[in-house]
Amino acid sequence: VERLRNSGSAGHIGWQDLKLWAQEMVFENECVEPLFSQADVDEAFSPNMVCVYLHHALENRQSKERMSKPLRSTDEALAEIIKKLKNEQDYFLKSNLLPSVMEAAVNRWQEEYDEVHKEVALPLSRTDIITRAAQFGVDVNEKNFDQVYKYRENVQLCRNCCHVERCPQFLQPNKLFNCHIETERKWNNYPHTLHLVVSRGSSESKEKLVEQIKSRAVAGTNNRKKPSPIQTGEDTNIGKQVELLLLQYVGQLSSA
């Protein structure tokens, strides 16, 4: 092979064929000296040398380089192979496995979120919030209430925490709360202004309130883009939510 003008002209020699040829070169003949000893063949095809050959082939892509450059020691070759394998594994994890795991985790989280937030956000008075928030370790009282919560008196909801009782973020003040609620706002049938419409029209009929919410009659205020109306068939839960909120708001008015 070394005497060839181009070592690549030797073609693709299979590992088993090469080993068989080396074995055939080990023979006893009084006239001809064996090309290899059995010990030479055993050493050349030993696991340690296979490791060295593997590194040499990966390190030197051209046949000319493989023929001219010296082989590394077994320890050096093994260390380089382990390093390359680790890099390959890291690449696979980051470019293939990690995105798949992240997608599955996000989908699972979204399913859990959607299931929990099927319930309507519960309107609460200041006193109720202070009492219930204390049960979850929130340090809030009458004096610091406005520093802890961004409270909307008209709908009895806070701008910086979730009011869905089953949600892990229930009454937990958070500056990034918009990111939390934005998750469900992306759906076409999200009932924007649900609490606003019901709190304003607690003396109206349920059907009229549902129609106002579906038509987005009071949505799109404060320079916000008005969402598209909710189509028939996409409003399966709005009637129930309106009923629950009517009981809540009317009950609070009665107690007041």
Side-chain angles (χ1 to χ4, degrees):
V1 173
E2 288 179 340
R3 287 197 296 269
L4 292 172
R5 182 176 180 181
N6 182 358
S7 57
S9 299
H12 297 288
I13 303 173
W15 182 257
Q16 293 300 328
D17 292 336
L18 184 62
K19 189 173 183 179
L20 180 62
W21 171 81
Q23 291 285 1
E24 291 178 350
M25 294 300 100
V26 180
F27 63 91
E28 295 181 3
N29 190 303
E30 294 180 357
C31 300
V32 181
E33 182 180 353
L35 187 59
F36 306 119
S37 69
Q38 186 61 50
D40 291 335
V41 175
D42 292 343
E43 172 63 21
F45 290 89
S46 67
N48 284 345
M49 289 308 299
V50 170
C51 175
V52 172
Y53 302 148
L54 178 61
H55 170 265
H56 193 69
L58 293 173
E59 191 72 16
N60 304 289
R61 296 294 181 176
Q62 302 298 322
S63 297
K64 185 177 181 181
E65 294 177 341
R66 292 173 179 174
M67 294 297 295
S68 60
K69 291 188 176 181
L71 297 173
R72 297 279 191 94
S73 69
T74 303
D75 290 341
E76 290 176 328
L78 183 59
E80 286 295 321
I81 289 173
I82 291 174
K83 180 180 178 180
K84 288 182 181 294
L85 285 174
K86 185 178 183 302
N87 290 339
E88 288 291 331
Q89 289 174 337
D90 289 345
Y91 175 80
F92 175 78
L93 289 173
K94 292 177 181 178
S95 62
N96 294 284
L97 187 58
L98 183 59
S100 298
V101 172
M102 288 294 292
E103 181 180 4
V106 170
N107 289 340
R108 177 64 182 275
W109 181 89
Q110 183 69 63
E111 290 174 3
E112 294 287 340
Y113 181 98
D114 291 343
E115 181 62 29
V116 167
H117 289 80
K118 286 180 180 178
E119 296 184 4
V120 67
L122 182 66
L124 294 169
S125 66
R126 286 173 173 261
T127 302
D128 288 337
I129 291 175
I130 292 172
T131 302
R132 301 192 65 172
Q135 299 172 4
F136 297 100
V138 180
D139 183 16
V140 62
N141 51 53
E142 290 286 354
K143 292 182 179 180
N144 67 359
F145 184 89
D146 290 328
Q147 284 72 50
V148 176
Y149 290 111
K150 296 180 179 179
Y151 188 63
R152 299 167 61 195
E153 293 280 359
N154 59 333
V155 290
Q156 297 187 327
L157 297 175
C158 298
R159 294 182 183 275
N160 61 336
C161 72
C162 189
H163 278 246
V164 176
E165 290 184 282
R166 288 177 56 201
C167 179
Q169 301 300 316
F170 179 59
L171 298 184
Q172 299 295 319
N174 191 334
K175 294 179 180 179
L176 301 178
F177 176 66
N178 275 342
C179 298
H180 177 81
I181 197 171
E182 195 65 32
T183 304
E184 58 182 321
R185 279 180 175 167
K186 65 184 179 182
W187 302 118
N188 293 331
N189 63 346
Y190 179 76
H192 295 273
T193 69
L194 169 67
H195 291 75
L196 182 61
V197 168
V198 179
S199 63
R200 284 179 176 177
S202 55
S203 60
E204 301 284 353
S205 68
K206 166 191 157 184
E207 290 72 21
K208 186 174 181 179
L209 294 174
V210 169
E211 186 55 37
Q212 287 185 48
I213 295 165
K214 288 174 56 180
S215 65
R216 313 295 197 186
V218 296
T221 57
N222 298 326
N223 296 322
R224 293 175 182 170
K225 182 180 178 181
K226 177 175 289 193
S228 301
I230 299 175
Q231 301 300 317
T232 302
E234 297 179 343
D235 57 343
T236 54
N237 203 36
I238 296 179
K240 182 178 178 181
Q241 291 177 328
V242 169
E243 286 181 1
L244 291 172
L245 288 177
L246 280 172
L247 291 173
Q248 188 73 19
Y249 285 124
V250 173
Q252 290 181 359
L253 286 173
S254 299
S255 61

